Amino acid sequence: MPSLEEEFFPSTPGKFKIDRGGGHHRQFHRCFSSTSKMFLWALFLIALTASYLSFQSFVDSGSRYFAASWGGIQWEKQVRKSAQIHRGGGMSVLVTGAAGFVGSHVSLALKKRGDGVVGIDNFNSYYDPSLKKARKSMLAEHGVFVVAGDINDGKLLAKLFDVVAFTHVMHLAAQAGVRYAMENPHSYVHSNIAGLVTLLEICKSANPQPAVVWASSSSVYGLNEKSPFSESDRTDQPASLYAATKKAGEEITHTYNHIYGLSITGLRFFTVYGPWGRPDMAYFSFTRNILQGKPITVYRGKNRVDLARDFTYIDDVVKGCLGSLDTSGKSTGSGGKKSGPAPYRIFNLGNTSPVTVPALVSILERHLKVKAKKNVVEMPGNGDVPFTHANISMARREFGYKPTTDLQTGLKKFVKWYLSYYGYNHGKAVN
Ligand SMILES: O=C(O)[C@H]1O[C@H](OP(=O)(O)OP(=O)(O)OC[C@H]2O[C@@H](n3ccc(=O)[nH]c3=O)[C@H](O)[C@@H]2O)[C@H](O)[C@@H](O)[C@@H]1O
């Protein structure tokens, strides 16, 4: 069957062959009839294009209609209920990325201590959305409502602030992952830059303005060689686009603090791990592969030096997030105008004891009682840094941050969760 293109623009030259055998009259007649044929074809093409375009706009408006899963009396009721505060002096927090790893844990902890929490998450497919949906259900059981929507949707954010006067925003929605930035750079700009600006625009216009606490990353230290990393160290040499977008976030939030008086706290997370974690991270994918008998790739640095990370357990990070919210101080602006200086803070939230990647693998092998099939390869130039190590004295001073879970203990809890959630045979080929 000829394709549509072939129908309209036949590639067989014979089909449009001009009859050279006849006289002028015949040639003129043929020419005239082919011109009128062309005219008809052109008309047909125009009609086809027009109907295609109107169909497209129908599909667009249709998808807009279907995507608008928010709004309405029932929806507003759910949002209000979820935002209700159940303790004296409590806060009402909008948590972005609430169906994510850190977001779901922070939402739950806030709710459990009596704060009001409303979540928002776009449930994208960077990793298995069913895990995000499971986190959402877990939160729903505890009375936290997670709105399905993107932080780039200013209308939705404005609506949420219309319905609830949030005192705080815990901004954890982001395109995470260091190495994926080489595959899909624009997703980092979309979420970590454009989405951040949309959110800050809404926050600065809100009345009252909320205090904003948000997730930066240890990756902003990039090629910094001074160890441990202190907040005052250089962060102008990012090694990945991911790190660059997080660093940009620190600068962008600074301008909103400076111009509009938004209270800002940026948290530099150090490789957070634990139950309900992110399947794209090494500890998670190693666990899956080890259990499935598949090989794992262990990167090694230059001169055969092992890579190391200051792996930080989720419960410690949650305490750091709550401590930051509790001490954030108030935004000073109203009606989009600053009326005095507001706090601008940045803290490391790490564990202060780096562990090498091979040591991480050994701990997993012990907990899983399975030997890993390791492929050790030199670290490709993919944005990774050789090591991370946090100095946490600032967070300790400001809100008593003190991590208490070492990697051995934290991974034990992770493995226990993993096996209860997926079972031993998850993804294994059945013979
Ligand atoms: O805290 C941070 O700043 C960052 O921590 C993690 O990034 P990363 O430390 O690279 O965490 P993993 O992807 O779990 O990698 C951990 C270590 O395992 C290594 N790795 C990773 C994957 C793999 O297949 N093999 C391997 O050896 C990496 O090179 C790295 O040294 C998160 O993915 C980032 O979103 C976060 O911002």
Side-chain angles (χ1 to χ4, degrees), residues 126 175-179 216-220 242 246 268-272 278 280-283 285-286 296-300 307-309 311 357 360 379 382 384-386 388:
Y126 168 58
Q175 176 57 61
V178 174
R179 290 162 293 280
S216 181
S217 160
S218 74
S219 62
V220 299
Y242 168 67
K246 285 294 182 182
R268 292 178 180 163
F269 293 159
F270 282 69
T271 315
V272 188
R278 272 172 40 206
D280 62 311
M281 287 182 69
Y283 73 94
S285 63
F286 285 176
I296 60 171
T297 305
V298 176
Y299 298 133
R300 190 164 56 193
L307 302 180
R309 289 289 179 275
F311 296 100
V357 177
L360 161 84
M379 180 174 87
N382 56 10
D384 262 339
V385 292
T388 62

Side-chain angles (χ1 to χ4, degrees), residues 217-225 229 234-240 243 383-388:
S217 160
S218 74
S219 62
V220 299
Y221 290 108
L223 306 180
N224 174 44
E225 281 179 354
F229 301 166
R234 286 183 73 165
T235 52
D236 58 351
Q237 298 171 295
S240 64
D384 262 339
V385 292
F387 74 98
T388 62

Side-chain angles (χ1 to χ4, degrees), residues 287-308:
T287 299
R288 190 177 46 219
N289 281 16
I290 292 171
L291 284 173
Q292 291 174 8
K294 291 183 185 158
I296 60 171
T297 305
V298 176
Y299 298 133
R300 190 164 56 193
K302 291 213 166 57
N303 305 320
R304 307 173 80 82
V305 175
D306 289 331
L307 302 180

Side-chain angles (χ1 to χ4, degrees), residues 168-171 211-215 263 265 267 321 324-325 328 345:
H168 295 74
V169 170
M170 182 81 222
H171 174 46
V212 178
V213 178
W214 74 285
S263 162
T265 306
L267 302 174
C321 291
S324 305
L325 286 166
S328 61
R345 314 181 299 169

Side-chain angles (χ1 to χ4, degrees), residues 8 41-59:
F8 293 129
W41 273 117
L43 265 181
F44 179 58
L45 266 175
I46 290 166
L48 201 72
T49 313
S51 57
Y52 171 74
L53 286 176
S54 62
F55 176 69
Q56 269 295 307
S57 76
F58 167 74
V59 167

